[in-house]
Amino acid sequence: MSNNLLAIYDSIISKQSFVEIQQCNEETLEYGLKLSEEDIKDVIDTRSEALSSSGRVEFGGGIIKKIISAFCDSSYISQYHYAETLNDLIETFYYYKNETIERVSDDELIEVMKDYFNHKCQGSMELLKYKYLDGMASNIRFGVKDYLKVDDCEELEEEEE
Amino acid sequence: MDNYIINREENLKGLLSEEHYFQSLLQVLYSNELLNKMELEKIQIQVLDMLTEKITYYTKDESSSVRVELAEQIMLSIYYIIGIFMKSIPSIKESIAVLKGKSLRDIFKQGEEMIKEKVEKCKKLFKQVQVNKLETTNYAYVDTIDYGFSMFFIDYDIRFASHIAPCSIDYQLSDGDIKMTGVEYIEAYLNILRLENSFCSCFDMIEIEGLLRNFNRNSQHMLINIYEFVLTNYLGVILIEKRGRSLNITKKERAYLKGRIKNLSELELEKLFMLSSETLFKELSIEDEELMKYINKAILKLIPGIKNAIETNTLENTFITINTAEDNIIKYQDGESLDDSKFKSITEEIRACSKIEDKMKIIRDELHSLQDLVDVLGADCIFDEEFIYIFKGLEDFELALLLKYLPSNESMDSDYGTESEKEWHEKLKEYLGTLDDLKKDEIMSISEGIEI
């Protein structure tokens, strides 16, 4: 019964998300970015799949909107691959919510992703996921206080070698 | 017609689950068209609102998503709290009126208050149980009362996991089929334990301990129910028309008892036992109706077992003779054990010796307690045939004491203990096997007469 109810909830959130994302287009148009209805459906599906594959359930929604707002001004995102990047970012977000064992809030994770993406990764999703976010997640799991320092750990390892 | 409807509604009560009361109530009402789809959805949306609010509290509004397991747990907790209140409503008809007329949030609040009251009630019940605790050596019983519940009163989480009772309960009740969870489980368990304690406290504790020991010498390590043993034997005492509060049934008395009941059918046994329970209540001056009901329930449960014991000729395990010879047991008072650092240095010294004669000398000179000797044997400092040399150098009484540490086949499995412990157990058995029968029997009989 509880599972059914959670599924109902997910469908309600998905419906709300559609309108929310449509409204985001007004904000992103300033940066030359726009999602078509088809793109929006894709993004919503990605969110549902990402939640399900990471074994999570979302209450209140609003994450897609936050990700769009945070990344729309990135110089590494163009209309050409906007939808694709957005889908990737959503998947990455939920994956690392689990990997960071709930120690990082939604806002902090989005902020960190944005910072890495725009600076150290220079728009590379691969670097963002497999180097920086992985490094950060592993720092968190091993109790490293300054878990955002991913480069430094690697440099230290190289120096030791 | 009205009567028919009332009866139909009230019959549905039997379909409700004690454990998942609210969920089953919704299902039953919906499937019997006492709640329509819109009404059900309205309730579900209210549950989701409450769930969202709880999750926000849980994540301190820092995360909009949580793991599914956590969301389900919090949802079950909400259902449980609402269920507690709904259970208190006497009829299905009134339950429907409440669900349709009241907001779920109000029901939830009332449920929360009821749970808080139940926790307070449990605290009082637990105090009573602690005060009336039986002076038994049964490990599961002692451990459950001394440590098993403390966790509950510290860790019970009404906000997010009200349906889970964090506790460590090993002791099995006679009527242990409690189909409840959370604080309701603790309340029901403590209530039954209070009744069982109250019954057992009518008897001499030394006799109860003797009864359990005669059932099995390792009864203190077994997951048994003390109340059932006491009740069965006392029922036997009543059946042979003995009076007083002694639990003992002699061999002759058991034979008489067997003659009295062996040809009775289950129905006749039931009649006889119910008559005997009346005598039992009078004899023990039991007036507590709840306890009387509980005893009668347990007595009826005994019938198939007793029938089976008659058929298999094993009535001596049901109506137990308390062997007074057991009382002549010598209680061994162990010497003073070494402190940890001294013990460590001695085991290192033994390990460093190349000759077994030197090892034996250190053991003789430095160890003054049985526990230290046992610890040394299992401390990886004596190896292979050295054990046999050590055992040869011990007195019969010392060997008899060591025998007490061997796991018995009946209650312990052969894997009990660490590898090095198992090694000396095996070597001791091997050494005993090399002794002549007379010597072996002597050591065994000394061992049986000692309690450590």
Side-chain angles (χ1 to χ4, degrees), chain A residues 9-23 44 59-62:
Chain A
Y9 198 70
D10 193 54
S11 76
I12 297 172
I13 293 284
S14 293
K15 275 178 205 162
Q16 283 175 357
S17 299
F18 194 90
V19 183
E20 259 178 28
I21 300 168
Q22 260 185 334
Q23 284 167 352
I44 289 168
F59 295 87

Side-chain angles (χ1 to χ4, degrees), chain A residues 94-111:
Chain A
Y94 289 115
Y95 180 77
Y96 284 99
K97 272 303 279 188
N98 273 356
E99 291 298 296
T100 51
I101 49 174
E102 318 283 334
R103 298 278 167 84
V104 182
S105 71
D106 289 351
D107 292 345
E108 191 188 353
L109 183 57
I110 293 173
E111 196 53 41

Side-chain angles (χ1 to χ4, degrees), chain B residues 273-286:
Chain B
F273 283 10
M274 284 300 107
L275 272 174
S276 304
S277 80
E278 292 298 322
T279 320
L280 184 148
F281 297 147
K282 269 185 209 151
E283 204 64 34
L284 300 176
S285 316
I286 293 174

Side-chain angles (χ1 to χ4, degrees), chain B residues 239-370:
Chain B
L239 286 169
I240 53 176
E241 288 159 25
K242 247 167 76 167
R243 290 295 173 259
R245 294 194 176 192
S246 169
L247 290 168
N248 196 23
I249 294 173
T250 63
K251 209 174 167 183
K252 276 186 190 166
E253 287 166 343
R254 188 165 50 243
Y256 166 71
L257 177 58
K258 188 180 176 183
R260 201 175 163 200
I261 59 177
K262 72 176 177 189
N263 293 323
L264 299 182
S265 67
E266 281 207 18
L267 205 68
E268 286 166 327
L269 268 181
E270 199 179 309
K271 266 187 193 165
L272 178 66
F273 283 10
M274 284 300 107
L275 272 174
S276 304
S277 80
E278 292 298 322
T279 320
L280 184 148
F281 297 147
K282 269 185 209 151
E283 204 64 34
L284 300 176
S285 316
I286 293 174
E287 284 167 359
D288 178 350
E289 295 232 343
E290 209 182 342
L291 180 57
M292 287 159 112
K293 216 171 134 187
Y294 188 67
I295 290 172
N296 280 338
K297 198 174 168 189
I299 286 178
L300 292 177
K301 239 177 75 183
L302 296 175
I303 295 172
I306 292 174
K307 263 282 197 206
N308 184 48
I310 295 168
E311 280 161 21
T312 53
N313 211 14
T314 52
L315 213 56
E316 67 277 10
N317 295 330
T318 309
F319 296 110
I320 296 162
T321 301
I322 303 170
N323 186 359
T324 46
E326 291 273 330
D327 298 335
N328 298 328
I329 276 173
I330 301 165
K331 197 151 176 80
Y332 176 70
Q333 192 74 38
D334 202 10
E336 201 180 327
S337 292
L338 297 168
D339 62 53
D340 289 351
S341 60
K342 180 86 178 148
F343 180 81
K344 194 178 167 212
S345 75
I346 287 175
T347 50
E348 278 166 7
E349 211 182 318
I350 296 172
R351 206 171 288 123
C353 289
S354 56
K355 288 183 183 167
I356 180 62
E357 292 82 3
D358 296 339
K359 289 189 178 185
M360 187 68 190
K361 190 172 181 324
I362 297 170
I363 290 173
R364 276 269 166 243
D365 294 348
E366 302 289 344
L367 304 184
H368 305 291
S369 89
L370 172 68

Side-chain angles (χ1 to χ4, degrees), chain A residues 1-3 5-6 8-9 12 51 54-63 93-94 97-98 102-107, chain B residues 23-24 26-27 40 44-45 47-49 51-52 55-56 59 61-69 71-72 75-76 79:
Chain A
M1 180 140 194
S2 55
N3 254 334
L5 216 48
L6 292 178
I8 296 169
Y9 198 70
I12 297 172
L51 277 170
S54 54
R56 298 181 75 81
V57 58
E58 191 164 72
F59 295 87
I63 286 300
F93 173 82
Y94 289 115
K97 272 303 279 188
N98 273 356
E102 318 283 334
R103 298 278 167 84
V104 182
S105 71
D106 289 351
D107 292 345
Chain B
Q23 294 98 307
S24 62
L26 288 184
Q27 263 166 358
L40 182 70
Q44 286 178 328
I45 286 175
V47 170
L48 284 171
D49 278 346
L51 180 62
T52 311
I55 299 271
T56 311
T59 63
D61 203 14
E62 287 188 342
S63 182
S64 62
S65 63
V66 289
R67 286 192 160 272
V68 172
E69 301 84 33
E72 280 175 352
M75 190 183 279
L76 286 174
Y79 279 144

